Amino acid sequence: MAAPSEEIEIEETQEEIVPEIRPCKPARSNISDIKNKNKRKKLCIELKRKKRTEKIKEKKDRKKEAKRLGDDAPPKKQPHTIESLREKDETMVDDEDDELEQEEATDTFASYFSKSYVPKVLVTCSDNPHTKSIAFIRELCRMIPNSQPMWRKRSSINKMIKRATANGFTDVVIVNEDKRIPNGLLVVHLPEGPTALFRLSNPKLCKEIHRDHKEISGHRPEVILNNFKTRLGRVVARMLGALFHYEPEFKGRRACTFHNQRDYIFFRHHRYEFKNQERVKLREMGPRFTLRLQWLQQGAFEGDYEWALKRHEMETSRRKFFL
């Protein structure tokens, strides 16, 4: 009877030798799981630096490959942005649209584009303007040829429009301000309209971008209207372009750009600088600001509204734009 008891003792000793298995802590797969703020910040900076280095290396490799292949090189990749993912709608038009050309041949800006008159712009502001609004108006008048500043003198907009029409002005620009900063731009095309109100944001004067206003010459600038793809955008672009003379003086090397991106109109004022016959540099002169259309009215500050921005009702998709 001794043999079975020995076997039982051996089995018990074998069970005691087996080590205990403990669960391991899961490896952190996300930087946000790290509780230490300094370590999290350090790892985030290292990750960004690594991604930037890889991106630069890929860009250099693509350039070398394109240079080696020449005409057989693959086309460039389209950037993945909200603008590139824009949803098309029925108001978008092509540059070669016969119906659009017929409409624009008879609209209120047809006489300007047929060069039948020279634009004359009146620039004014609200009553008791602040110093920055006055400086902004002065720079607008330096930038827009054949424009004149004028004090408001507590006159209503309707009286001002009638007086400006009688004095031969073709457009009126009114700068609004809030908290001592310009925040709005009302543009009226005379004598029959239309009228547009823009929200003005991020105004930067020449002094604020470290430029001297004396560098702005008196030559007529070239006007560039970029990325206005809808019928509403075409009207807004023609309205802004009609503020400037239709015959630029390329000798002055000035260029005024209205670039539409996601319904925000970015304005920049540059001057061409030619290093040699192949290299051209753009020097920003100022001022700099951003516009967003609030509403468009048919007449000269009177009449029906063609379009008005209602954000909560109209901005249902981030990929839908109106200009």
Side-chain angles (χ1 to χ4, degrees), residues 130-137 180-182 203-205 208:
H130 190 256
T131 307
K132 188 168 184 178
S133 298
I134 297 174
F136 184 72
I137 289 173
R180 300 185 174 186
I181 298 176
K204 297 291 183 181
L205 305 177
E208 294 175 322

Side-chain angles (χ1 to χ4, degrees), residues 76-268:
K76 292 183 178 180
K77 294 181 179 179
Q78 186 178 6
H80 190 77
T81 60
I82 297 178
E83 183 72 24
S84 63
L85 300 174
R86 177 175 183 172
E87 296 177 356
K88 293 187 178 181
D89 56 10
E90 57 184 6
T91 63
M92 297 184 70
V93 294
D94 298 327
D95 294 334
E96 298 179 358
D97 192 338
D98 297 335
E99 183 180 354
L100 181 66
E101 291 179 359
Q102 293 177 2
E103 291 180 3
E104 292 181 348
T106 57
D107 65 359
T108 55
F109 303 105
S111 56
Y112 166 79
F113 286 95
S114 63
K115 303 180 181 180
S116 61
Y117 71 89
V118 176
K120 185 179 179 182
V121 184
L122 172 66
V123 185
T124 185
C125 57
S126 57
D127 294 323
N128 301 322
H130 190 256
T131 307
K132 188 168 184 178
S133 298
I134 297 174
F136 184 72
I137 289 173
R138 287 175 179 171
E139 294 195 359
L140 284 180
C141 292
R142 292 191 190 103
M143 182 185 61
I144 301 174
N146 201 18
S147 59
Q148 298 179 13
M150 188 174 294
W151 292 106
R152 182 74 171 267
K153 295 182 180 179
R154 297 185 178 182
S155 177
S156 66
I157 296 179
N158 289 324
K159 290 182 180 179
M160 189 185 307
I161 289 173
K162 291 179 181 178
R163 194 180 302 119
T165 306
N167 291 331
F169 288 97
T170 60
D171 298 273
V172 175
V173 177
I174 302 174
V175 179
N176 299 326
E177 70 171 22
D178 184 33
K179 297 179 181 180
R180 300 185 174 186
I181 298 176
N183 73 327
L185 208 68
L186 182 69
V187 182
V188 186
H189 184 67
L190 302 178
E192 298 177 356
T195 304
L197 176 65
F198 299 92
R199 179 166 62 85
L200 177 68
S201 60
N202 301 324
K204 297 291 183 181
L205 305 177
C206 296
K207 185 178 180 181
E208 294 175 322
I209 59 176
H210 308 289
R211 295 290 185 269
D212 190 358
H213 66 84
K214 295 181 182 178
E215 297 182 25
I216 303 175
S217 63
H219 297 88
R220 296 190 294 268
E222 177 187 3
V223 181
I224 302 172
L225 305 169
N226 190 24
N227 204 28
F228 294 90
K229 296 183 178 180
T230 64
R231 290 182 178 271
L232 176 65
R234 296 276 297 192
V235 174
V236 173
R238 288 166 68 85
M239 188 174 192
L240 295 173
L243 298 174
F244 298 83
H245 201 282
Y246 43 77
E247 291 183 354
E249 294 178 338
F250 296 104
K251 184 179 179 181
R253 299 173 295 162
R254 291 175 55 203
C256 294
T257 305
F258 292 94
H259 175 70
N260 173 45
Q261 188 171 351
R262 303 188 308 275
D263 287 346
Y264 289 91
I265 304 172
F266 299 93
F267 175 81
R268 296 293 184 269

Side-chain angles (χ1 to χ4, degrees), residues 1-11:
M1 299 295 294
S5 62
E6 290 178 359
E7 291 179 0
I8 294 170
E9 290 178 0
I10 292 171
E11 290 178 358

Side-chain angles (χ1 to χ4, degrees), residues 274-291:
F274 295 92
K275 299 296 182 181
N276 49 45
Q277 293 182 355
E278 296 180 356
R279 294 183 59 190
V280 182
K281 182 181 177 182
L282 287 176
R283 177 180 173 84
E284 186 176 359
M285 306 296 296
R288 172 200 304 176
F289 53 87
T290 305
L291 301 175

Side-chain angles (χ1 to χ4, degrees), residues 48-62:
K48 285 184 178 179
R49 188 183 291 115
K50 184 179 179 181
K51 288 183 177 179
R52 193 184 306 116
T53 305
E54 292 176 354
K55 189 175 181 180
I56 292 172
K57 186 177 181 300
E58 289 178 1
K59 189 175 181 180
K60 288 182 178 179
D61 293 341
R62 285 198 302 268

